[in-house]
């Protein structure tokens, strides 16, 4: 380690170091400054996007609750939310609500369309994992009701971790039972029972198992 006899020598050494490494120091400072500015800009952009999406969602949701007769206005608000802010949680939640309403009213194709749109919007690197799983589950249930058992299994295929929700195992089992793959279905039903806490749900699963083993 270099030793300096005076403050003047120490200052001279520092100045020499800065001169020799001027380019590196400037590049490093520039990179840090650029990263900071980019982070602030991105956060500001997303905050603005969410604020605008929230306004549209609130307007659409109020019209939905009041069952307004102005269907054109409600549709316009919903479309504006989906077209301008498709990646926000507000757009996803609105599509989830709309798809669920369609399915409850028996409009299964319309509900399926909404859930498929939700699946596309929530997939990928910047997607929403929670809404993505919910979309897959709803798609699978509608496909089951239409006896499209392979389609149901296909949409649930990415959900194959050991920490699956019991409902995922159950829906997979229902699809496999529909394809007469009883042994595979039983394995899924048993996984569901193992991971479920509610006794009434366990009873329903046991009824399904009994039907396959009779």
């Amino acid at each position: 380690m270099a030793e300096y006899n005076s403050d003047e020598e120490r200052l001279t050494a520092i100045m020499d170091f800065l001169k020799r490494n001027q380019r590196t120091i400037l590049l490093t400072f520039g990179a840090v400054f650029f990263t900071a500015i980019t982070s602030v800009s991105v956060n500001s952009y997303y905050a603005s996007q969410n604020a605008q999406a929230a306004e549209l969602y609130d307007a659409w949701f109020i019209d939905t609750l009041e069952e307004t007769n102005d269907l054109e206005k409600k549709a316009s608000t919903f479309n504006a939310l989906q077209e301008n802010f498709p990646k926000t949680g507000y757009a996803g939640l609105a599509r989830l609500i709309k798809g669920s309403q369609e399915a409850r009213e028996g409009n299964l194709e319309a509900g399926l369309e909404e859930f498929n749109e939700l699946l596309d919007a929530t997939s990928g690197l910047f997607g929403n994992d929670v809404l993505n799983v919910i979309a897959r589950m709803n798609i699978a249930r509608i496909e089951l009701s239409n006896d499209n058992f392979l389609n149901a299994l296909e949409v649930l295929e990415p959900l194959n971790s050991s920490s699956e929700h019991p409902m995922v195992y159950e829906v997979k089992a229902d699809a496999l039972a529909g394809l007469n793959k009883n042994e595979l279905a039983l394995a899924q039903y048993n996984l569901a029972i193992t991971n479920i806490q509610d006794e009434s749900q366990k009873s329903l699963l046991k009824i399904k198992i009994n039907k396959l083993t009779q």
Side-chain angles (χ1 to χ4, degrees), residues 13-31:
I14 293 173
M15 295 301 295
D16 288 341
F17 173 81
L18 293 176
K19 286 180 181 179
R20 290 194 307 270
N21 298 280
Q22 182 178 18
R23 182 179 177 81
T24 300
I25 292 171
L26 287 175
L27 286 174
T28 301
F29 176 79

Side-chain angles (χ1 to χ4, degrees), residues 11-76:
L11 179 60
T12 300
I14 293 173
M15 295 301 295
D16 288 341
F17 173 81
L18 293 176
K19 286 180 181 179
R20 290 194 307 270
N21 298 280
Q22 182 178 18
R23 182 179 177 81
T24 300
I25 292 171
L26 287 175
L27 286 174
T28 301
F29 176 79
V32 171
F33 181 75
F34 176 77
T35 301
I37 291 297
T38 300
S39 177
V40 170
S41 298
V42 169
N43 289 336
S44 177
Y45 170 78
Y46 281 119
S48 175
Q49 289 277 293
N50 279 320
Q52 295 177 69
E55 290 184 9
L56 287 172
Y57 173 82
D58 288 344
W60 173 80
F61 189 66
I62 289 172
D63 285 342
T64 299
L65 288 178
E66 295 178 349
E67 297 183 353
T68 177
N69 291 324
D70 194 347
L71 298 180
E72 185 176 345
K73 176 190 172 186
K74 187 164 68 172
S76 177

Side-chain angles (χ1 to χ4, degrees), residues 105-118:
E105 293 170 3
N107 304 321
L108 297 184
E109 289 305 314
L112 187 60
E113 182 179 348
E114 293 296 339
F115 290 129
N116 275 312
E117 290 286 350
L118 179 60

